[in-house]
mmCIF file of all heavy atoms in Angstrom:
data_model
loop_
_atom_site.group_PDB
_atom_site.id
_atom_site.type_symbol
_atom_site.label_atom_id
_atom_site.label_comp_id
_atom_site.label_asym_id
_atom_site.label_seq_id
_atom_site.Cartn_x
_atom_site.Cartn_y
_atom_site.Cartn_z
ATOM 1 N N ASN A 1 -28.352 -10.734 11.157
ATOM 2 C CA ASN A 1 -29.184 -11.938 11.202
ATOM 3 C C ASN A 1 -30.200 -11.894 10.068
ATOM 4 O O ASN A 1 -30.848 -10.863 9.849
ATOM 5 C CB ASN A 1 -29.910 -12.032 12.544
ATOM 6 C CG ASN A 1 -28.958 -12.231 13.701
ATOM 7 O OD1 ASN A 1 -28.188 -13.187 13.723
ATOM 8 N ND2 ASN A 1 -28.998 -11.312 14.671
ATOM 9 N N LEU A 2 -30.349 -13.001 9.352
ATOM 10 C CA LEU A 2 -31.204 -13.026 8.183
ATOM 11 C C LEU A 2 -32.424 -13.907 8.389
ATOM 12 O O LEU A 2 -32.335 -14.986 8.990
ATOM 13 C CB LEU A 2 -30.433 -13.545 6.962
ATOM 14 C CG LEU A 2 -29.177 -12.798 6.542
ATOM 15 C CD1 LEU A 2 -28.584 -13.446 5.295
ATOM 16 C CD2 LEU A 2 -29.453 -11.319 6.299
ATOM 17 N N TYR A 3 -33.533 -13.457 7.855
ATOM 18 C CA TYR A 3 -34.774 -14.235 7.787
ATOM 19 C C TYR A 3 -35.093 -14.450 6.324
ATOM 20 O O TYR A 3 -35.245 -13.501 5.552
ATOM 21 C CB TYR A 3 -35.900 -13.465 8.481
ATOM 22 C CG TYR A 3 -37.289 -14.013 8.263
ATOM 23 C CD1 TYR A 3 -37.636 -15.292 8.701
ATOM 24 C CD2 TYR A 3 -38.275 -13.242 7.640
ATOM 25 C CE1 TYR A 3 -38.927 -15.792 8.512
ATOM 26 C CE2 TYR A 3 -39.568 -13.732 7.453
ATOM 27 C CZ TYR A 3 -39.880 -15.001 7.887
ATOM 28 O OH TYR A 3 -41.151 -15.492 7.705
ATOM 29 N N THR A 4 -35.139 -15.698 5.907
ATOM 30 C CA THR A 4 -35.350 -16.007 4.494
ATOM 31 C C THR A 4 -36.819 -16.231 4.151
ATOM 32 O O THR A 4 -37.164 -16.277 2.969
ATOM 33 C CB THR A 4 -34.541 -17.248 4.088
ATOM 34 O OG1 THR A 4 -34.895 -18.335 4.951
ATOM 35 C CG2 THR A 4 -33.043 -16.991 4.186
ATOM 36 N N GLY A 5 -37.678 -16.436 5.154
ATOM 37 C CA GLY A 5 -39.085 -16.696 4.878
ATOM 38 C C GLY A 5 -39.270 -18.009 4.138
ATOM 39 O O GLY A 5 -38.494 -18.946 4.318
ATOM 40 N N PRO A 6 -40.291 -18.097 3.271
ATOM 41 C CA PRO A 6 -40.546 -19.370 2.598
ATOM 42 C C PRO A 6 -39.510 -19.721 1.527
ATOM 43 O O PRO A 6 -39.396 -20.860 1.111
ATOM 44 C CB PRO A 6 -41.927 -19.147 1.955
ATOM 45 C CG PRO A 6 -42.021 -17.666 1.792
ATOM 46 C CD PRO A 6 -41.303 -17.078 2.953
ATOM 47 N N ASN A 7 -38.729 -18.726 1.087
ATOM 48 C CA ASN A 7 -37.762 -18.959 0.016
ATOM 49 C C ASN A 7 -36.336 -19.043 0.547
ATOM 50 O O ASN A 7 -35.479 -18.227 0.210
ATOM 51 C CB ASN A 7 -37.876 -17.864 -1.044
ATOM 52 C CG ASN A 7 -39.150 -17.985 -1.850
ATOM 53 O OD1 ASN A 7 -40.133 -17.320 -1.567
ATOM 54 N ND2 ASN A 7 -39.141 -18.859 -2.839
ATOM 55 N N THR A 8 -36.100 -20.047 1.362
ATOM 56 C CA THR A 8 -34.736 -20.274 1.838
ATOM 57 C C THR A 8 -33.898 -20.882 0.716
ATOM 58 O O THR A 8 -32.797 -20.428 0.419
ATOM 59 C CB THR A 8 -34.727 -21.200 3.067
ATOM 60 O OG1 THR A 8 -35.536 -20.597 4.094
ATOM 61 C CG2 THR A 8 -33.321 -21.404 3.589
ATOM 62 N N GLU A 9 -34.411 -21.923 0.076
ATOM 63 C CA GLU A 9 -33.815 -22.555 -1.097
ATOM 64 C C GLU A 9 -32.344 -22.930 -0.892
ATOM 65 O O GLU A 9 -32.006 -23.730 -0.041
ATOM 66 C CB GLU A 9 -34.000 -21.661 -2.317
ATOM 67 C CG GLU A 9 -35.457 -21.488 -2.717
ATOM 68 C CD GLU A 9 -35.601 -20.921 -4.093
ATOM 69 O OE1 GLU A 9 -35.194 -21.582 -5.045
ATOM 70 O OE2 GLU A 9 -36.143 -19.801 -4.216
ATOM 71 N N ASP A 10 -31.436 -22.296 -1.664
ATOM 72 C CA ASP A 10 -30.024 -22.669 -1.641
ATOM 73 C C ASP A 10 -29.229 -21.956 -0.543
ATOM 74 O O ASP A 10 -28.048 -22.262 -0.333
ATOM 75 C CB ASP A 10 -29.352 -22.299 -2.978
ATOM 76 C CG ASP A 10 -29.968 -22.984 -4.174
ATOM 77 O OD1 ASP A 10 -31.044 -23.593 -4.015
ATOM 78 O OD2 ASP A 10 -29.392 -22.908 -5.262
ATOM 79 N N THR A 11 -29.847 -20.996 0.146
ATOM 80 C CA THR A 11 -29.118 -20.125 1.062
ATOM 81 C C THR A 11 -28.283 -20.871 2.105
ATOM 82 O O THR A 11 -27.128 -20.503 2.336
ATOM 83 C CB THR A 11 -30.086 -19.148 1.760
ATOM 84 O OG1 THR A 11 -30.913 -18.517 0.781
ATOM 85 C CG2 THR A 11 -29.327 -18.096 2.540
ATOM 86 N N PRO A 12 -28.802 -21.914 2.770
ATOM 87 C CA PRO A 12 -27.978 -22.577 3.793
ATOM 88 C C PRO A 12 -26.673 -23.160 3.250
ATOM 89 O O PRO A 12 -25.608 -23.009 3.863
ATOM 90 C CB PRO A 12 -28.894 -23.685 4.327
ATOM 91 C CG PRO A 12 -30.279 -23.190 4.050
ATOM 92 C CD PRO A 12 -30.177 -22.470 2.750
ATOM 93 N N ALA A 13 -26.737 -23.788 2.086
ATOM 94 C CA ALA A 13 -25.523 -24.376 1.508
ATOM 95 C C ALA A 13 -24.537 -23.296 1.104
ATOM 96 O O ALA A 13 -23.329 -23.396 1.374
ATOM 97 C CB ALA A 13 -25.876 -25.247 0.309
ATOM 98 N N VAL A 14 -25.037 -22.252 0.460
ATOM 99 C CA VAL A 14 -24.157 -21.163 0.012
ATOM 100 C C VAL A 14 -23.521 -20.465 1.202
ATOM 101 O O VAL A 14 -22.300 -20.233 1.240
ATOM 102 C CB VAL A 14 -24.951 -20.149 -0.838
ATOM 103 C CG1 VAL A 14 -24.098 -18.938 -1.177
ATOM 104 C CG2 VAL A 14 -25.475 -20.804 -2.104
ATOM 105 N N ALA A 15 -24.343 -20.141 2.201
ATOM 106 C CA ALA A 15 -23.849 -19.371 3.353
ATOM 107 C C ALA A 15 -22.853 -20.170 4.181
ATOM 108 O O ALA A 15 -21.797 -19.642 4.563
ATOM 109 C CB ALA A 15 -25.028 -18.933 4.219
ATOM 110 N N GLU A 16 -23.160 -21.434 4.434
ATOM 111 C CA GLU A 16 -22.254 -22.208 5.284
ATOM 112 C C GLU A 16 -20.931 -22.488 4.586
ATOM 113 O O GLU A 16 -19.865 -22.375 5.194
ATOM 114 C CB GLU A 16 -22.923 -23.517 5.714
ATOM 115 C CG GLU A 16 -22.098 -24.301 6.712
ATOM 116 C CD GLU A 16 -22.933 -25.177 7.617
ATOM 117 O OE1 GLU A 16 -24.128 -24.874 7.794
ATOM 118 O OE2 GLU A 16 -22.386 -26.150 8.152
ATOM 119 N N GLY A 17 -20.994 -22.835 3.309
ATOM 120 C CA GLY A 17 -19.761 -23.095 2.589
ATOM 121 C C GLY A 17 -18.853 -21.880 2.549
ATOM 122 O O GLY A 17 -17.626 -22.000 2.615
ATOM 123 N N THR A 18 -19.459 -20.698 2.432
ATOM 124 C CA THR A 18 -18.674 -19.463 2.353
ATOM 125 C C THR A 18 -18.179 -19.029 3.732
ATOM 126 O O THR A 18 -16.988 -18.745 3.909
ATOM 127 C CB THR A 18 -19.531 -18.345 1.736
ATOM 128 O OG1 THR A 18 -20.060 -18.783 0.492
ATOM 129 C CG2 THR A 18 -18.698 -17.079 1.525
ATOM 130 N N ALA A 19 -19.081 -18.991 4.711
ATOM 131 C CA ALA A 19 -18.756 -18.425 6.015
ATOM 132 C C ALA A 19 -17.680 -19.221 6.748
ATOM 133 O O ALA A 19 -16.843 -18.638 7.453
ATOM 134 C CB ALA A 19 -20.017 -18.339 6.871
ATOM 135 N N PHE A 20 -17.701 -20.544 6.593
ATOM 136 C CA PHE A 20 -16.776 -21.363 7.364
ATOM 137 C C PHE A 20 -15.470 -21.641 6.620
ATOM 138 O O PHE A 20 -14.693 -22.502 7.022
ATOM 139 C CB PHE A 20 -17.461 -22.655 7.811
ATOM 140 C CG PHE A 20 -18.448 -22.403 8.916
ATOM 141 C CD1 PHE A 20 -19.759 -22.050 8.626
ATOM 142 C CD2 PHE A 20 -18.057 -22.460 10.239
ATOM 143 C CE1 PHE A 20 -20.666 -21.791 9.644
ATOM 144 C CE2 PHE A 20 -18.954 -22.187 11.269
ATOM 145 C CZ PHE A 20 -20.266 -21.855 10.969
ATOM 146 N N LYS A 21 -15.244 -20.874 5.565
ATOM 147 C CA LYS A 21 -13.952 -20.893 4.890
ATOM 148 C C LYS A 21 -13.460 -19.463 4.720
ATOM 149 O O LYS A 21 -12.815 -19.105 3.758
ATOM 150 C CB LYS A 21 -14.064 -21.592 3.529
ATOM 151 C CG LYS A 21 -12.751 -22.149 2.999
ATOM 152 C CD LYS A 21 -12.230 -23.285 3.832
ATOM 153 C CE LYS A 21 -11.018 -23.911 3.152
ATOM 154 N NZ LYS A 21 -10.478 -25.029 3.950
ATOM 155 N N ASN A 22 -13.806 -18.629 5.714
ATOM 156 C CA ASN A 22 -13.361 -17.242 5.749
ATOM 157 C C ASN A 22 -13.759 -16.452 4.511
ATOM 158 O O ASN A 22 -13.020 -15.586 4.035
ATOM 159 C CB ASN A 22 -11.837 -17.167 5.951
ATOM 160 C CG ASN A 22 -11.428 -17.442 7.379
ATOM 161 O OD1 ASN A 22 -11.770 -16.689 8.280
ATOM 162 N ND2 ASN A 22 -10.723 -18.537 7.589
ATOM 163 N N GLY A 23 -14.930 -16.771 3.965
ATOM 164 C CA GLY A 23 -15.425 -16.031 2.822
ATOM 165 C C GLY A 23 -16.252 -14.831 3.239
ATOM 166 O O GLY A 23 -16.517 -14.607 4.432
ATOM 167 N N ILE A 24 -16.663 -14.064 2.251
ATOM 168 C CA ILE A 24 -17.439 -12.845 2.479
ATOM 169 C C ILE A 24 -18.856 -13.065 1.957
ATOM 170 O O ILE A 24 -19.045 -13.495 0.822
ATOM 171 C CB ILE A 24 -16.791 -11.642 1.781
ATOM 172 C CG1 ILE A 24 -15.472 -11.292 2.471
ATOM 173 C CG2 ILE A 24 -17.734 -10.438 1.752
ATOM 174 C CD1 ILE A 24 -14.681 -10.206 1.787
ATOM 175 N N ILE A 25 -19.845 -12.774 2.808
ATOM 176 C CA ILE A 25 -21.253 -12.908 2.431
ATOM 177 C C ILE A 25 -21.897 -11.527 2.449
ATOM 178 O O ILE A 25 -21.848 -10.814 3.458
ATOM 179 C CB ILE A 25 -22.012 -13.839 3.398
ATOM 180 C CG1 ILE A 25 -21.466 -15.263 3.312
ATOM 181 C CG2 ILE A 25 -23.499 -13.827 3.091
ATOM 182 C CD1 ILE A 25 -22.109 -16.227 4.291
ATOM 183 N N ILE A 26 -22.493 -11.166 1.318
ATOM 184 C CA ILE A 26 -23.238 -9.925 1.204
ATOM 185 C C ILE A 26 -24.679 -10.289 0.878
ATOM 186 O O ILE A 26 -24.939 -11.012 -0.091
ATOM 187 C CB ILE A 26 -22.659 -9.018 0.103
ATOM 188 C CG1 ILE A 26 -21.178 -8.743 0.369
ATOM 189 C CG2 ILE A 26 -23.444 -7.710 0.006
ATOM 190 C CD1 ILE A 26 -20.471 -8.045 -0.784
ATOM 191 N N ALA A 27 -25.598 -9.827 1.694
ATOM 192 C CA ALA A 27 -27.004 -10.186 1.528
ATOM 193 C C ALA A 27 -27.837 -8.974 1.156
ATOM 194 O O ALA A 27 -27.756 -7.936 1.822
ATOM 195 C CB ALA A 27 -27.548 -10.811 2.812
ATOM 196 N N GLN A 28 -28.606 -9.105 0.080
ATOM 197 C CA GLN A 28 -29.628 -8.101 -0.195
ATOM 198 C C GLN A 28 -30.906 -8.545 0.499
ATOM 199 O O GLN A 28 -31.241 -9.737 0.502
ATOM 200 C CB GLN A 28 -29.857 -7.906 -1.683
ATOM 201 C CG GLN A 28 -30.653 -8.994 -2.378
ATOM 202 C CD GLN A 28 -31.055 -8.625 -3.793
ATOM 203 O OE1 GLN A 28 -30.238 -8.632 -4.700
ATOM 204 N NE2 GLN A 28 -32.339 -8.312 -3.980
ATOM 205 N N VAL A 29 -31.611 -7.606 1.111
ATOM 206 C CA VAL A 29 -32.837 -7.928 1.839
ATOM 207 C C VAL A 29 -33.939 -6.979 1.409
ATOM 208 O O VAL A 29 -33.688 -5.889 0.886
ATOM 209 C CB VAL A 29 -32.617 -7.845 3.371
ATOM 210 C CG1 VAL A 29 -31.581 -8.866 3.816
ATOM 211 C CG2 VAL A 29 -32.194 -6.444 3.802
ATOM 212 N N ASN A 30 -35.158 -7.412 1.641
ATOM 213 C CA ASN A 30 -36.311 -6.567 1.315
ATOM 214 C C ASN A 30 -36.525 -5.483 2.357
ATOM 215 O O ASN A 30 -37.076 -4.420 2.056
ATOM 216 C CB ASN A 30 -37.570 -7.411 1.185
ATOM 217 C CG ASN A 30 -37.476 -8.408 0.045
ATOM 218 O OD1 ASN A 30 -36.664 -8.260 -0.872
ATOM 219 N ND2 ASN A 30 -38.285 -9.453 0.113
ATOM 220 N N GLU A 31 -36.098 -5.784 3.574
ATOM 221 C CA GLU A 31 -36.277 -4.800 4.648
ATOM 222 C C GLU A 31 -35.277 -5.060 5.764
ATOM 223 O O GLU A 31 -34.832 -6.191 5.974
ATOM 224 C CB GLU A 31 -37.698 -4.861 5.203
ATOM 225 C CG GLU A 31 -38.097 -6.232 5.722
ATOM 226 C CD GLU A 31 -39.527 -6.300 6.223
ATOM 227 O OE1 GLU A 31 -40.169 -5.236 6.320
ATOM 228 O OE2 GLU A 31 -39.979 -7.409 6.542
ATOM 229 N N ILE A 32 -34.919 -3.976 6.461
ATOM 230 C CA ILE A 32 -34.087 -4.082 7.663
ATOM 231 C C ILE A 32 -34.990 -3.767 8.849
ATOM 232 O O ILE A 32 -35.647 -2.725 8.891
ATOM 233 C CB ILE A 32 -32.884 -3.132 7.594
ATOM 234 C CG1 ILE A 32 -31.955 -3.568 6.452
ATOM 235 C CG2 ILE A 32 -32.134 -3.123 8.918
ATOM 236 C CD1 ILE A 32 -30.764 -2.656 6.233
ATOM 237 N N VAL A 33 -35.037 -4.706 9.794
ATOM 238 C CA VAL A 33 -35.981 -4.621 10.913
ATOM 239 C C VAL A 33 -35.230 -4.674 12.236
ATOM 240 O O VAL A 33 -34.034 -4.998 12.290
ATOM 241 C CB VAL A 33 -37.004 -5.776 10.839
ATOM 242 C CG1 VAL A 33 -37.838 -5.664 9.573
ATOM 243 C CG2 VAL A 33 -36.300 -7.125 10.887
ATOM 244 N N ASP A 34 -35.930 -4.362 13.313
ATOM 245 C CA ASP A 34 -35.307 -4.442 14.633
ATOM 246 C C ASP A 34 -35.058 -5.893 15.036
ATOM 247 O O ASP A 34 -33.998 -6.232 15.570
ATOM 248 C CB ASP A 34 -36.194 -3.757 15.681
ATOM 249 C CG ASP A 34 -36.274 -2.245 15.466
ATOM 250 O OD1 ASP A 34 -35.309 -1.684 14.903
ATOM 251 O OD2 ASP A 34 -37.294 -1.655 15.829
ATOM 252 N N THR A 35 -36.048 -6.755 14.788
ATOM 253 C CA THR A 35 -35.931 -8.168 15.147
ATOM 254 C C THR A 35 -36.512 -9.017 14.029
ATOM 255 O O THR A 35 -37.656 -8.794 13.609
ATOM 256 C CB THR A 35 -36.707 -8.470 16.455
ATOM 257 O OG1 THR A 35 -36.230 -7.606 17.484
ATOM 258 C CG2 THR A 35 -36.483 -9.918 16.882
ATOM 259 N N VAL A 36 -35.757 -9.987 13.554
ATOM 260 C CA VAL A 36 -36.264 -10.864 12.485
ATOM 261 C C VAL A 36 -37.199 -11.906 13.092
ATOM 262 O O VAL A 36 -37.035 -12.305 14.256
ATOM 263 C CB VAL A 36 -35.094 -11.555 11.743
ATOM 264 C CG1 VAL A 36 -34.286 -10.532 10.961
ATOM 265 C CG2 VAL A 36 -34.203 -12.337 12.691
ATOM 266 N N PRO A 37 -38.214 -12.378 12.329
ATOM 267 C CA PRO A 37 -39.179 -13.357 12.854
ATOM 268 C C PRO A 37 -38.531 -14.669 13.297
ATOM 269 O O PRO A 37 -38.987 -15.302 14.249
ATOM 270 C CB PRO A 37 -40.136 -13.577 11.673
ATOM 271 C CG PRO A 37 -39.999 -12.353 10.840
ATOM 272 C CD PRO A 37 -38.579 -11.926 10.981
ATOM 273 N N ARG A 38 -37.511 -15.113 12.595
ATOM 274 C CA ARG A 38 -36.720 -16.263 12.986
ATOM 275 C C ARG A 38 -35.341 -16.091 12.330
ATOM 276 O O ARG A 38 -35.216 -15.440 11.292
ATOM 277 C CB ARG A 38 -37.360 -17.600 12.577
ATOM 278 C CG ARG A 38 -37.406 -17.855 11.079
ATOM 279 C CD ARG A 38 -37.893 -19.271 10.731
ATOM 280 N NE ARG A 38 -37.677 -19.544 9.317
ATOM 281 C CZ ARG A 38 -38.622 -19.660 8.397
ATOM 282 N NH1 ARG A 38 -39.884 -19.555 8.754
ATOM 283 N NH2 ARG A 38 -38.317 -19.898 7.128
ATOM 284 N N VAL A 39 -34.335 -16.670 12.912
ATOM 285 C CA VAL A 39 -32.981 -16.530 12.378
ATOM 286 C C VAL A 39 -32.677 -17.725 11.485
ATOM 287 O O VAL A 39 -32.496 -18.842 11.967
ATOM 288 C CB VAL A 39 -31.932 -16.427 13.504
ATOM 289 C CG1 VAL A 39 -30.518 -16.373 12.906
ATOM 290 C CG2 VAL A 39 -32.192 -15.192 14.357
ATOM 291 N N ASP A 40 -32.617 -17.490 10.176
ATOM 292 C CA ASP A 40 -32.297 -18.549 9.223
ATOM 293 C C ASP A 40 -30.808 -18.594 8.917
ATOM 294 O O ASP A 40 -30.259 -19.653 8.621
ATOM 295 C CB ASP A 40 -33.086 -18.357 7.928
ATOM 296 C CG ASP A 40 -34.561 -18.646 8.106
ATOM 297 O OD1 ASP A 40 -34.896 -19.731 8.640
ATOM 298 O OD2 ASP A 40 -35.395 -17.803 7.739
ATOM 299 N N VAL A 41 -30.147 -17.451 8.962
ATOM 300 C CA VAL A 41 -28.685 -17.367 8.823
ATOM 301 C C VAL A 41 -28.180 -16.444 9.916
ATOM 302 O O VAL A 41 -28.564 -15.275 9.968
ATOM 303 C CB VAL A 41 -28.280 -16.822 7.436
ATOM 304 C CG1 VAL A 41 -26.760 -16.707 7.334
ATOM 305 C CG2 VAL A 41 -28.821 -17.695 6.321
ATOM 306 N N PRO A 42 -27.322 -16.942 10.819
ATOM 307 C CA PRO A 42 -26.826 -16.105 11.927
ATOM 308 C C PRO A 42 -26.004 -14.925 11.428
ATOM 309 O O PRO A 42 -25.270 -15.025 10.428
ATOM 310 C CB PRO A 42 -25.947 -17.066 12.735
ATOM 311 C CG PRO A 42 -26.372 -18.438 12.321
ATOM 312 C CD PRO A 42 -26.816 -18.317 10.909
ATOM 313 N N GLY A 43 -26.101 -13.825 12.130
ATOM 314 C CA GLY A 43 -25.430 -12.605 11.727
ATOM 315 C C GLY A 43 -23.920 -12.702 11.708
ATOM 316 O O GLY A 43 -23.264 -11.987 10.931
ATOM 317 N N ASP A 44 -23.339 -13.559 12.548
ATOM 318 C CA ASP A 44 -21.874 -13.622 12.551
ATOM 319 C C ASP A 44 -21.325 -14.353 11.330
ATOM 320 O O ASP A 44 -20.105 -14.426 11.136
ATOM 321 C CB ASP A 44 -21.346 -14.252 13.850
ATOM 322 C CG ASP A 44 -21.899 -15.645 14.110
ATOM 323 O OD1 ASP A 44 -22.715 -16.128 13.299
ATOM 324 O OD2 ASP A 44 -21.515 -16.243 15.133
ATOM 325 N N TRP A 45 -22.211 -14.914 10.469
ATOM 326 C CA TRP A 45 -21.778 -15.463 9.193
ATOM 327 C C TRP A 45 -21.766 -14.389 8.101
ATOM 328 O O TRP A 45 -21.135 -14.576 7.065
ATOM 329 C CB TRP A 45 -22.705 -16.579 8.717
ATOM 330 C CG TRP A 45 -22.804 -17.782 9.602
ATOM 331 C CD1 TRP A 45 -22.336 -17.943 10.865
ATOM 332 C CD2 TRP A 45 -23.455 -19.006 9.267
ATOM 333 N NE1 TRP A 45 -22.644 -19.183 11.352
ATOM 334 C CE2 TRP A 45 -23.325 -19.859 10.386
ATOM 335 C CE3 TRP A 45 -24.123 -19.454 8.136
ATOM 336 C CZ2 TRP A 45 -23.861 -21.158 10.408
ATOM 337 C CZ3 TRP A 45 -24.646 -20.740 8.145
ATOM 338 C CH2 TRP A 45 -24.514 -21.587 9.270
ATOM 339 N N VAL A 46 -22.498 -13.303 8.333
ATOM 340 C CA VAL A 46 -22.793 -12.329 7.289
ATOM 341 C C VAL A 46 -21.889 -11.108 7.425
ATOM 342 O O VAL A 46 -21.755 -10.540 8.511
ATOM 343 C CB VAL A 46 -24.275 -11.905 7.353
ATOM 344 C CG1 VAL A 46 -24.607 -10.875 6.277
ATOM 345 C CG2 VAL A 46 -25.173 -13.129 7.218
ATOM 346 N N SER A 47 -21.287 -10.710 6.305
ATOM 347 C CA SER A 47 -20.372 -9.562 6.307
ATOM 348 C C SER A 47 -21.133 -8.251 6.152
ATOM 349 O O SER A 47 -20.874 -7.286 6.881
ATOM 350 C CB SER A 47 -19.351 -9.700 5.170
ATOM 351 O OG SER A 47 -18.698 -10.946 5.221
#
């Protein structure tokens, strides 16, 4: 599950177009936490 914070920008379009056509999404993050503050991209979209 991803939290984009104030810089969501293009992420929703990129993630949805890729995830719902059996694509692979790799996300770099600043930190890995137990619980994200809000879910901006669901984890089942992310490889």
Side-chain angles (χ1 to χ4, degrees):
N1 294 303
L2 302 181
Y3 169 63
T4 55
N7 289 97
T8 302
E9 295 195 64
D10 300 11
T11 310
V14 174
E16 186 152 337
T18 306
F20 287 87
K21 203 67 173 180
N22 283 296
I24 291 174
I25 295 177
I26 303 171
Q28 76 170 75
V29 297
N30 297 340
E31 57 182 351
I32 295 177
V33 297
D34 293 333
T35 304
V36 292
R38 68 173 191 250
V39 176
D40 289 309
V41 178
D44 57 359
W45 299 11
V46 180
S47 307

